[in-house]
Amino acid sequence: PNVARQEKAHAHQCVPAKSGRMLYVPDLGADQLRQLRLTEDGAFEELPAFVFETLPGGGPRHIAFNPTKADVCYCLHELGNVISVLSLRQSLVVAVEQVVSTLPADYVGGNLGADVHVSPDGKFVYASNRGHDSIAIFKVDMCTGHLSLAGCIAAGGNTPRNFAITPDGEFVLVALQVCVRIYLSKGFSLSWRPAVISLPIYLSVCFVCTHACMHAFERGVCRGGLAGLTCRRSVATVRLKETPQFLRN
C-alpha cells in the first residue's frame, strides 16, 4: 500500500448499475471495489462476498461500464496509473481480465490517473493523466472488451482531472484542475487540438453537464458562447446555452 495515500478507506466514486439494483464504489484507500445491493426495503447492503480486491497499491479511483458489453467494466487506478479490465457475472465483478498502463512506455515523470470514460459506441476507452497532462485513448476489442493503447494526446493544459463526453460522442469537455479553463473538442483523435473557452471556474476539479443542457448543445440550437455556470466548492455545473462558433465550423 501507499502509506501516504492509503492510510484509511477513501471511497472516490459511486456508480449505479443500469438496473438500479447495484452500486459500485471504488475505494482508493483500501484497494477494493465495494459492491452494494438494493434490498427489498430500499436500502443498500454490502456483503463480504461483494467486496472485490483490486491491485495492491493501485488506488482504484473511477470505473466506467461499456454500453455494448454488459459483462465488462473498466477501473482506473490513480496511484498505479493503469486500467483494469474487469469481468462481471450477474452484475458482480468477479475477475481481472487485463491490466494496461495509461502512460507511454517511455514516460518517466510523475503522474496520477484521474478519470475514465467509454465512448457511446463502446469502441474506445479514454483516461486522463495528471502529470503527463494527457488523455490516453484505448481501442476496445469488441469480442473480449480488452484494451490496446492507441496513443496519448495533450490535454491542452495542466492537470486534466475530470472530463465528459456528449451522448452522441461528438464533443468532449476537459476540466483542468490547476487552470481556470475548460477545453472543448469535436471528439478525441490522435490529431486532436483542443479549442479553449476560459470560464471563471476556481478549484475546477470536476464538473457535471446536465443531460438537457448537453442535448441542446449537441443540436447546435444557439450561437456564440457559454452561460449559466454555477459553482459550489469543487463541483461546477456548466449549462451550455449556446454553441461556440468554432464548434460549428
Side-chain angles (χ1 to χ4, degrees):
N2 184 318
V3 294
R5 295 290 311 279
Q6 297 182 298
E7 76 287 359
K8 59 183 179 181
H10 187 180
H12 228 291
Q13 187 189 37
C14 181
V15 179
K18 285 186 177 180
S19 66
R21 307 294 301 180
M22 294 288 296
L23 284 178
Y24 304 90
V25 183
D27 189 334
L28 185 149
D31 283 327
Q32 293 176 336
L33 178 60
R34 301 181 180 277
Q35 303 173 92
L36 291 78
R37 181 178 60 186
L38 184 67
T39 62
E40 294 299 326
D41 60 1
F44 280 95
E45 67 173 354
E46 180 184 39
L47 302 178
F50 289 2
V51 178
F52 184 78
E53 302 291 336
T54 60
L55 300 177
R61 178 184 174 90
H62 282 183
I63 64 169
F65 290 84
N66 193 314
T68 64
K69 292 186 65 62
D71 59 346
V72 171
C73 72
Y74 305 98
C75 180
L76 175 75
H77 298 265
E78 175 178 338
L79 305 179
N81 299 306
V82 296
I83 292 177
S84 294
V85 181
L86 306 176
S87 60
L88 295 94
R89 186 180 303 125
Q90 296 181 343
S91 299
L92 288 176
V93 173
V94 294
V96 178
E97 297 289 335
Q98 183 193 25
V99 178
V100 292
S101 175
T102 63
L103 297 168
D106 58 353
Y107 181 69
V108 295
N111 190 76
L112 293 171
D115 201 8
V116 60
H117 291 282
V118 184
S119 62
D121 60 10
K123 295 181 179 180
F124 295 92
V125 170
Y126 310 110
S128 52
N129 287 309
R130 296 171 291 172
H132 189 249
D133 293 337
S134 64
I135 304 294
I137 304 176
F138 297 89
K139 293 181 179 179
V140 178
D141 183 313
M142 298 307 289
C143 293
T144 65
H146 289 189
L147 304 179
S148 59
L149 182 64
C152 294
I153 55 175
N158 296 329
T159 321
R161 193 171 177 113
N162 187 240
F163 64 97
I165 305 170
T166 55
D168 64 359
E170 184 177 4
F171 296 105
V172 179
L173 294 88
V174 181
L176 305 176
Q177 178 179 343
V178 177
C179 302
V180 289
R181 294 175 183 168
I182 284 182
Y183 286 74
L184 297 90
S185 172
K186 282 193 173 182
F188 282 131
S189 71
L190 293 180
S191 60
W192 180 50
R193 294 296 181 270
V196 183
I197 290 181
S198 293
L199 295 173
I201 301 176
Y202 301 94
L203 297 176
S204 57
V205 296
C206 61
F207 59 88
V208 177
C209 298
T210 64
H211 180 77
C213 296
M214 296 312 299
H215 180 64
F217 178 58
E218 292 162 14
R219 293 173 57 199
V221 296
C222 304
R223 301 183 179 89
L226 290 167
L229 177 70
T230 62
C231 193
R232 292 182 176 87
R233 292 182 63 84
S234 61
V235 179
T237 300
V238 181
R239 294 189 177 277
L240 297 162
K241 291 184 177 178
E242 300 181 341
T243 303
Q245 179 64 41
F246 69 81
L247 290 178
R248 294 185 283 112
N249 291 339

